[in-house]
Amino acid sequence: MISASADLPTVVMVLTRPQDHALRRLEKLFRVVVIDRPDFTLVDPAVRPAVRGVASFAGFNAAFIDGLPRLEIIAVFGVGYDMVAAQEAASRKVMVTNTPDVLTEEVADTAIGLLINTVRELPQAEAWLRAGRWARDGMYPLSRLTLRGRSIGIHGLGRIGSAIARRLEAFGLPVAYHNRRPVEGIGYSYYPTLEELAAAVDTLISVVPGGPATETAVNAEVLAALGPDGVLINIGRGRSVDEAALAAALANGTVAAAGLDVFADEPNVSQALLDAPNTTLLPHVGSASVHTRRAMADLVVDNLAEWFMTGRPLTPVPETRSLVRSASSTGD
Ligand code: NAP
Ligand code: 8YV
């Protein structure tokens, strides 16, 4: 057991904004050094050789790992770890963990909210009321689009994609999907390419991980296949969508509307998308409730604690799943 009286491992916490709950928990278990970006030179050179763990609320690269010679584990805040050098960590025998499952239902709820807002124009209707237009100009115009009669395509039927699909089944809407391979034991129709899926449905929800394999997967051809009644929702990663192609498709009616929670260059949003018609844009709030962010922060801390207590973290990323903590690892 790690106890306050033991020789505590040193852990670096990389914080881009305050995480008081996680900090308080970490300070009970470890000696904690806080830095505000993943740059090892921000850690005192005398402390660097003692650092054995990192709690990262930001990404990191190989140079960061190399600057901390006794590093054993990096616990990442977030399920998506495209901003993380996981392969490089694996080759250096550094464990990487992420925060799956604890955010799945929250992100699925957000996706449904974004879909309904996009299709039924609820944010615009509220703006109409607040601007006094209901009393002045009458009823908000009927929404052009509806969820009724839609067919849904999920791009990335994993944990979150499945939770979105379950919700939409309850809405009475048919669901199909595209992954690199079919999911066993699932009744939804599978399409081996994204373009085939887009052609078969009128509502595409993208919830794939970022990275080279999904970069601009939702491109001009996919949008054309989705068609003029088509709605795109992206709650996965911004770079999975060709944003210039999407802005053009919205402007010329190739697709009807888009709801986006994620963007290629966050926190910057391209002017073309800001100017595009029929869009609902959210500032990456998929998991952003106090409840769920606290659960994610707890999992970051629990992963570090389990690693140092048992050598087996709770949620390793696939790249480092087979790593075991070396028996020669000792206290600071
Ligand atoms: P997951 O369980 O790993 O699901 C990912 C799904 O994507 C799997 O079904 C996978 O199936 C599929 N996939 C992966 N690469 C693909 C490719 N090249 N082409 C087609 N399908 C592919 O992950 P999750 O927990 O559902 O999270 C999904 C992603 O959502 C995260 O990685 C993150 O980027 C994003 N996310 C966003 C927010 C937000 O706030 N907006 C919050 C949480 C997560 P195959 O492996 O069979 O292809
Ligand atoms: C978070 C996410 O916003 O988990 C993810 O992959 O995109 C979101 O839950 C992010 O990871 C932390 O800022």
Side-chain angles (χ1 to χ4, degrees):
M1 280 290 288
I2 296 172
S3 73
S5 59
D7 202 6
L8 301 180
T10 298
V11 158
V12 167
M13 197 172 178
V14 184
L15 282 183
T16 50
R17 61 185 149 190
Q19 290 284 349
D20 294 344
H21 171 68
L23 179 58
R24 276 195 305 276
R25 279 199 63 204
L26 283 173
E27 282 176 339
K28 287 191 181 134
L29 298 169
F30 306 108
R31 284 195 206 112
V32 181
V33 177
V34 177
I35 58 178
D36 65 6
R37 57 182 191 279
D39 176 352
F40 74 86
T41 66
L42 298 175
V43 181
D44 183 335
V47 175
R48 280 177 220 162
V51 173
R52 294 168 59 203
V54 168
S56 185
F57 293 74
F60 65 82
N61 59 19
F64 181 72
I65 305 173
D66 292 338
L68 302 169
R70 280 185 71 206
L71 188 61
E72 298 173 31
I73 177 168
I74 304 184
V76 174
F77 179 78
V79 66
Y81 58 98
D82 45 306
M83 300 301 285
V84 158
Q87 207 57 63
E88 290 81 349
S91 68
R92 291 157 175 79
K93 303 210 176 329
V94 171
M95 171 61 69
V96 178
T97 62
N98 64 346
T99 60
D101 302 319
V102 293
L103 45 55
T104 293
E105 304 300 330
E106 190 83 71
V107 180
D109 291 345
T110 311
I112 297 298
L114 180 56
L115 172 63
I116 295 176
N117 279 354
T118 303
V119 169
R120 293 297 326 285
E121 305 172 20
L122 301 185
Q124 297 90 320
E126 182 174 358
W128 178 276
L129 176 154
R130 288 183 183 281
R133 296 195 63 184
W134 189 6
R136 196 170 61 243
D137 299 329
M139 297 298 288
Y140 181 78
L142 304 185
S143 67
R144 279 182 315 133
L145 304 175
T146 175
L147 266 193
R148 297 302 94 214
R150 285 198 166 267
S151 57
I152 309 292
I154 307 273
H155 176 211
L157 191 79
R159 288 170 293 242
I160 299 170
S162 302
I164 295 170
R166 281 197 301 276
R167 284 159 174 71
L168 291 170
E169 266 194 277
F171 283 30
L173 304 180
V175 174
Y177 72 102
H178 164 67
N179 286 357
R180 288 167 297 186
R181 57 194 78 80
V183 180
E184 276 183 35
I186 288 281
Y188 310 138
S189 302
Y190 173 73
Y191 289 86
T193 70
L194 183 55
E195 202 171 324
E196 286 170 274
L197 174 67
V201 300
D202 56 24
T203 306
L204 185 63
I205 302 180
S206 184
V207 60
V208 282
T214 54
E215 183 91 16
T216 63
V218 181
N219 56 23
E221 290 73 31
V222 169
L223 294 167
L226 194 57
D229 196 35
V231 173
L232 173 71
I233 301 298
N234 188 12
I235 191 109
R237 280 293 179 265
R239 288 184 182 278
S240 305
V241 173
D242 179 339
E243 291 186 344
L246 174 61
L250 287 160
N252 63 29
T254 300
V255 295
L260 310 173
D261 182 52
V262 288
F263 300 88
D265 181 31
E266 296 175 7
N268 306 304
V269 178
S270 79
Q271 196 59 45
L273 279 180
L274 291 170
D275 292 343
N278 308 322
T279 53
T280 301
L281 308 177
L282 298 178
H284 200 145
V285 294
S287 65
S289 68
V290 170
H291 167 92
T292 293
R293 287 290 171 82
R294 186 178 171 117
M296 292 163 66
D298 275 329
L299 187 47
V300 169
V301 179
D302 292 344
N303 269 313
L304 288 165
E306 286 296 323
W307 175 258
F308 288 108
M309 284 192 295
T310 70
R312 284 183 299 278
L314 298 171
T315 50
V317 302
E319 289 84 342
T320 62
R321 193 162 286 152
S322 59
L323 287 183
V324 284
R325 188 154 169 256
S326 144
S328 64
S329 294
T330 57
D332 287 359

